[in-house]
Amino acid sequence: MPSDLAEYPRPSVAVDVAVLTVTDRGLAVVTVDSRWGDALPGTFLHPGETLADAAGRALRTKAGIEGLAFHQLRMFDAPDRDDRGWVLSMAHSTEVAASALPPQGRTVDVEHGRPTVPMAFDHADMVAAAVADLRTRYTDAPDPSGLLGARFTLLRLRRLYEVVFDRTLPKDTFRRHALGAIYGTGELTAVDGGRPAELYERRPGASFPRTMAALLGG
Amino acid sequence: MPSDLAEYPRPSVAVDVAVLTVTDRGLAVVTVDSRWGDALPGTFLHPGETLADAAGRALRTKAGIEGLAFHQLRMFDAPDRDDRGWVLSMAHSTEVAASALPPQGRTVDVEHGRPTVPMAFDHADMVAAAVADLRTRYTDAPDPSGLLGARFTLLRLRRLYEVVFDRTLPKDTFRRHALGAIYGTGELTAVDGGRPAELYERRPGASFPRTMAALLGG
DNA sequence: CTAATAGTGTCTCTGAGACACTATTTG
DNA sequence: CAAATAGTGTCTCAGAGACACTATTAG
């Protein structure tokens, strides 16, 4: 615990937010254009502001995204990470359905946990941390961030998990594991070449059985 | 991503470290005396220093602890958390065997995930975060931080897990789950009123089977 | 009818957890 | 011997995963 408010030079403190989404090509991350190339939306911390406030402001003003919940990943603090000076940056992440993003926004594909193009500063490492964090949270509960929106078929849920965990999953076993944490609405999808599928919703507060981790992980 | 090195007033950035240990009474956390009562060892970030460097320096100078590995928990950033001004603090945590601590050091007991006495600033919340993090990491591998030292009996390992997860564990099932991640040395303990127990060591890089999570969690 | 996709009945076999037994020490 | 603790053989039963079947649509 610091014993005196020291008079040392202080670092600038910034925030950056990795917003992951799923396109027809797989995982992707929202980026903005910058002098350093593709970058995560970010900003400097304003006086009296919390990191969460700053991150929300960055999403709103840089990426046109409003009302998303996100969380801290970790602080990126290499002294030379920003050539403009001493800048610490707290990386945040979240996920959102592609349909909820502003239509003209730019995204960069993510493969094997990393962005497919070079990114500004250490933002590629932030994306990698966001994907690792995504996997951890998606192991515990069905699409907790709502990448699929409120209602989805079991096929869409399974395809999402196959993209996130980069492996194929058996349809019947996956289904039986998932059914404890979601419930059928009785409503059916419009068909496309086969029996219509039921639409499911997340059971509030529900989580997967512990055994789902084994299915997903190995 | 910040587009200009802004000329806003900057916060002070501090680090605090929760060092958890196990005493005969259970979980405890290393504290130092301060103007605000019991506090975690902490310090302000020096120019050009990384957070990890600062945290190591705090442990060394405030608590007399050297050479410990630790990791970030999260940034505590409430604007009014420190009455001296705008101070962000990155909480870190680690665990260490009580025998490896300086003998005259002070510790505070932890019960149900919280310190049993009031602490400075939001340090009690940091301790709670450290305990939650401890549980997550101890679910994956046998005593990864070496709270028990290099060699231990299965009884000591099980007692540790009973303290950390606050529940009793069946000796035979726990044993069979653990044996994949540790190996017997052939050496035996000195006895105290019964058959001597074998001493075990961690298998490097080993982790518990996924099913250990079910045993520990519920 | 066939093709395509959704959903389920059922079998097998692993292995978790429980119980009770054996093993090795002290006194 | 009894008491105490360490370690294990074994039984049962849940349930994971696999397979193949049925169900419901389009054409």
Side-chain angles (χ1 to χ4, degrees):
Chain A
M1 182 266 352
S3 59
D4 287 304
L5 229 209
E7 287 311 313
Y8 298 116
R10 299 172 180 183
S12 295
V13 175
V15 296
D16 291 295
V17 189
V19 179
L20 298 175
T21 191
V22 173
T23 69
D24 37 357
R25 282 184 315 284
L27 267 186
V29 62
V30 171
T31 59
V32 297
D33 212 27
S34 84
R35 199 162 8 136
W36 297 267
D38 284 301
L40 299 180
T43 188
F44 284 102
L45 187 61
H46 287 187
E49 197 180 36
T50 64
L51 294 165
D53 290 340
R57 181 166 53 76
L59 280 186
R60 194 170 352 101
T61 62
K62 302 285 177 69
I65 299 173
E66 200 103 26
L68 271 192
F70 43 79
H71 56 270
Q72 289 183 10
L73 289 176
R74 69 176 181 88
M75 187 69 105
F76 285 74
D77 66 341
D80 58 353
R81 58 179 290 281
D82 189 320
D83 48 36
R84 293 166 299 178
W86 191 22
V87 181
L88 308 183
S89 181
M90 178 59 78
H92 295 73
S93 79
T94 187
E95 299 85 34
V96 71
S99 60
L101 288 173
Q104 74 286 17
R106 172 169 167 72
T107 62
V108 163
D109 287 350
V110 174
E111 271 171 26
H112 305 116
R114 301 200 68 88
T116 53
V117 306
M119 294 195 65
F121 309 117
D122 44 15
H123 288 192
D125 296 329
M126 293 183 180
V127 172
V131 172
D133 180 75
L134 167 73
R135 289 190 174 148
T136 302
R137 286 175 306 101
Y138 271 56
T139 299
D140 294 331
D143 186 23
S145 299
L147 275 169
L148 298 179
R151 329 184 112 198
F152 45 84
T153 64
L154 270 162
L155 178 62
R156 294 242 300 148
L157 186 66
R158 182 160 51 91
R159 292 265 184 272
L160 171 63
Y161 273 78
E162 290 181 336
V163 165
V164 169
F165 289 89
D166 208 6
R167 61 196 312 264
T168 62
L169 296 167
K171 93 169 174 172
D172 46 5
T173 303
F174 180 82
R175 175 194 188 79
R176 283 181 239 245
H177 283 233
L179 276 180
I182 61 180
Y183 64 92
T185 60
E187 230 175 308
L188 299 181
T189 46
V191 198
D192 95 317
R195 174 172 168 178
E198 188 166 8
L199 286 167
Y200 291 83
E201 294 183 1
R202 280 171 279 278
R203 202 182 292 280
S207 55
F208 288 139
R210 301 265 179 201
T211 47
M212 181 63 106
L215 223 213
L216 298 175
Chain B
M1 181 266 355
S3 60
D4 289 304
L5 232 208
E7 286 311 312
Y8 298 117
R10 299 171 181 184
S12 296
V13 175
V15 296
D16 292 295
V17 189
V19 179
L20 298 175
T21 190
V22 173
T23 69
D24 37 0
R25 283 185 315 284
L27 265 188
V29 62
V30 172
T31 59
V32 297
D33 212 26
S34 85
R35 201 160 10 132
W36 298 267
D38 284 301
L40 299 180
T43 188
F44 284 102
L45 187 61
H46 288 188
E49 198 180 35
T50 64
L51 294 165
D53 289 341
R57 181 166 54 77
L59 280 186
R60 196 173 346 106
T61 61
K62 301 285 176 70
I65 299 173
E66 200 104 26
L68 271 192
F70 43 79
H71 56 270
Q72 290 184 10
L73 290 175
R74 69 175 180 88
M75 185 70 102
F76 285 73
D77 65 342
D80 59 352
R81 57 179 291 280
D82 189 318
D83 48 36
R84 293 166 300 179
W86 190 23
V87 181
L88 308 183
S89 181
M90 178 58 79
H92 296 72
S93 79
T94 188
E95 298 85 34
V96 70
S99 60
L101 288 173
Q104 74 286 14
R106 172 168 168 72
T107 63
V108 163
D109 286 350
V110 174
E111 272 172 25
H112 304 116
R114 301 200 66 86
T116 53
V117 305
M119 294 196 65
F121 309 115
D122 44 14
H123 288 191
D125 295 329
M126 292 181 180
V127 172
V131 173
D133 181 75
L134 168 73
R135 287 188 176 148
T136 302
R137 284 176 307 104
Y138 271 56
T139 298
D140 293 333
D143 186 25
S145 299
L147 274 169
L148 298 178
R151 329 184 112 196
F152 45 84
T153 65
L154 271 163
L155 178 61
R156 294 242 299 149
L157 185 67
R158 181 159 52 92
R159 292 263 184 273
L160 170 63
Y161 273 78
E162 290 181 336
V163 166
V164 168
F165 290 88
D166 208 6
R167 62 197 312 263
T168 61
L169 296 167
K171 94 169 173 173
D172 46 6
T173 302
F174 180 82
R175 175 195 190 76
R176 282 183 240 244
H177 282 229
L179 276 181
I182 60 180
Y183 65 91
T185 60
E187 230 175 306
L188 300 180
T189 45
V191 198
D192 96 314
R195 173 172 166 179
E198 189 166 7
L199 286 167
Y200 292 83
E201 293 183 3
R202 279 171 280 277
R203 202 183 293 279
S207 56
F208 287 139
R210 302 266 179 198
T211 48
M212 181 62 106
L215 223 213
L216 299 173

